[in-house]
Amino acid sequence: MSVQERKQRERAERERLIVATARELAEEQGWDAVTTRRLAERIEYSQPVLYSHFRGKREIIGAVALQGAAELAAELRGASAEAEAEAGAGASASVEGVRGRVTALARAYLDFAERNPAVYDAMFQLDGGLAFAAEDTPEALKDGFAALLETLRDVAGEGVEPGLFTEVFWASLHGLATLTRAGRLPVGDAERRVGLLVSRLAVV
């Protein structure tokens, strides 16, 4: 390995450590607790080293958001594929099979938001300097939306643009995740809400 390659690998490892530490601190104490000073103390780097990777907290939030988007996309695809496999080859195209995939997708989304509140905030609540729904939207964010679209395009209904339907379904999931976390909705009715959302919006 050349000196340049070693330096690049070390730089990438430092960036991963910074992002992982910021994420851990945010999940433990909230994003207000994440400062460059506290990050530097935790990972035992100087603040100038941090600034050589990220210009500030905003960019760190953006990096966490991109990481979260990749993880969410993988979980959504995994949930949909698992539901399809459980339904079996013949049943996967049936009404029950399609709705099963959509239900699994919805549950996976809400579970992710519940398990990773700080990451979810970085993705959708905080300013991480990332563009959404634009030409310069990062690929990880586009892929997160694509993971929803891949399953939801099958239930958009005749004459409905799949991308638009996916936006509405996603907004509904986001609303459920946000209101439940804020204590505005009773936790015990979560499964009934998912069932209602799927049965009323998913056209098979």
Side-chain angles (χ1 to χ4, degrees), residues 93-199:
S94 68
V95 171
E96 293 77 12
V98 173
R99 285 201 175 144
R101 291 200 310 275
V102 176
T103 299
L105 181 88
R107 286 175 181 154
Y109 185 99
L110 295 173
D111 287 347
F112 178 90
E114 182 180 4
R115 289 194 329 271
N116 306 280
V119 175
Y120 193 81
D121 282 349
M123 293 166 67
F124 301 123
Q125 302 289 97
L126 303 176
D127 178 14
L130 305 175
F132 282 79
E135 288 186 10
D136 58 341
T137 297
E139 287 303 315
L141 298 182
K142 291 180 181 178
D143 191 52
F145 185 79
L148 290 167
L149 178 61
E150 288 161 13
T151 293
L152 295 175
R153 65 162 44 107
D154 295 333
V155 295
E158 187 176 350
V160 178
E161 200 277 306
L164 189 64
F165 175 80
T166 299
E167 290 172 354
V168 172
F169 199 96
W170 172 28
S172 299
L173 290 174
H174 176 70
L176 289 175
T178 304
L179 291 172
T180 300
R181 179 174 156 200
R184 302 305 196 264
L185 299 175
V187 177
D189 290 330
E191 190 63 26
R192 290 175 58 203
R193 290 189 199 99
V194 169
L196 184 61
L197 177 64
V198 173
S199 66

Side-chain angles (χ1 to χ4, degrees), residues 74-89 92 97 100-102 104-105 107-108 151:
E75 291 194 19
L76 294 177
R77 288 188 173 106
S80 182
E82 184 176 343
E84 185 172 16
E86 288 178 358
S92 64
R101 291 200 310 275
V102 176
L105 181 88
R107 286 175 181 154
T151 293

